[in-house]
Amino acid sequence: MVKQFDDTKCKRVGCDQGLHNYLHYSGQLLLRNGREPGISNVRVYPQGQGGAAVNNLAALRNAPLRQHWGILQNGTNLVTNWDGTIANVVHQFDRDKELFHIMKKRMDQMVSDYFVSTATTTTGQRQR
């Protein structure tokens, strides 16, 4: 797969999706190095936008999620699917500036909490 991607000389963001589709539908995943058995029994599950197990936000990057699309909930900062249910997994959250900052703050807090709990566990007392 790396060779095929290198052969495309694609530099655009997102061109890997087209490459993966091509490799799958052309049958090239079935052979490795053009000769040896490669990946078989590949199953493709269409995800759709805003209604599947993974909510992919990349296609929505032309407007703020909260303002235009309405899928970033006010008050909770949770991402919802089109039907209003909370998204299980949000892919490419960094495409929305506000959501990126919300997630960065959450991740920083998780890392901080982890190190506090690790210090407590190893020393028997809480350190700051």
Side-chain angles (χ1 to χ4, degrees):
M1 193 177 327
V2 173
K3 180 192 178 314
Q4 288 90 343
F5 188 78
D6 288 346
D7 288 347
T8 68
K9 298 181 180 23
C10 181
K11 303 291 184 214
R12 291 182 49 139
V13 172
C15 65
D16 61 316
Q17 185 66 49
L19 173 69
H20 294 135
N21 290 340
Y22 171 75
L23 292 174
H24 171 69
Y25 289 109
S26 69
Q28 290 191 36
L29 291 175
L30 299 175
L31 295 175
R32 187 176 62 197
N33 301 327
R35 299 178 305 277
E36 303 168 40
I39 301 170
S40 61
N41 295 324
V42 174
R43 294 183 182 161
V44 177
Y45 297 96
Q47 292 294 305
Q49 177 64 49
V54 177
N55 194 336
N56 186 342
L57 302 182
L60 305 176
R61 61 179 153 214
N62 63 346
L65 294 177
R66 189 182 308 275
Q67 173 191 347
H68 186 71
W69 298 102
I71 63 171
L72 181 57
Q73 280 186 345
N74 288 321
T76 65
N77 292 331
L78 295 173
V79 175
T80 60
N81 296 314
W82 293 128
D83 65 1
T85 59
I86 297 170
N88 295 315
V89 177
V90 177
H91 179 55
Q92 297 182 327
F93 65 85
D94 60 324
R95 301 308 197 265
D96 183 79
K97 190 182 293 186
E98 180 186 7
L99 184 55
F100 171 78
H101 290 295
I102 290 167
M103 293 304 297
K104 176 150 181 21
K105 184 176 177 181
R106 286 182 182 173
M107 288 184 290
D108 290 347
Q109 185 62 54
M110 288 172 62
V111 169
S112 175
D113 290 348
Y114 170 78
F115 284 114
V116 167
S117 70
T118 302
T120 303
T121 303
T122 58
T123 65
Q125 52 187 324
R126 187 174 181 159
Q127 296 179 350
R128 278 275 184 200

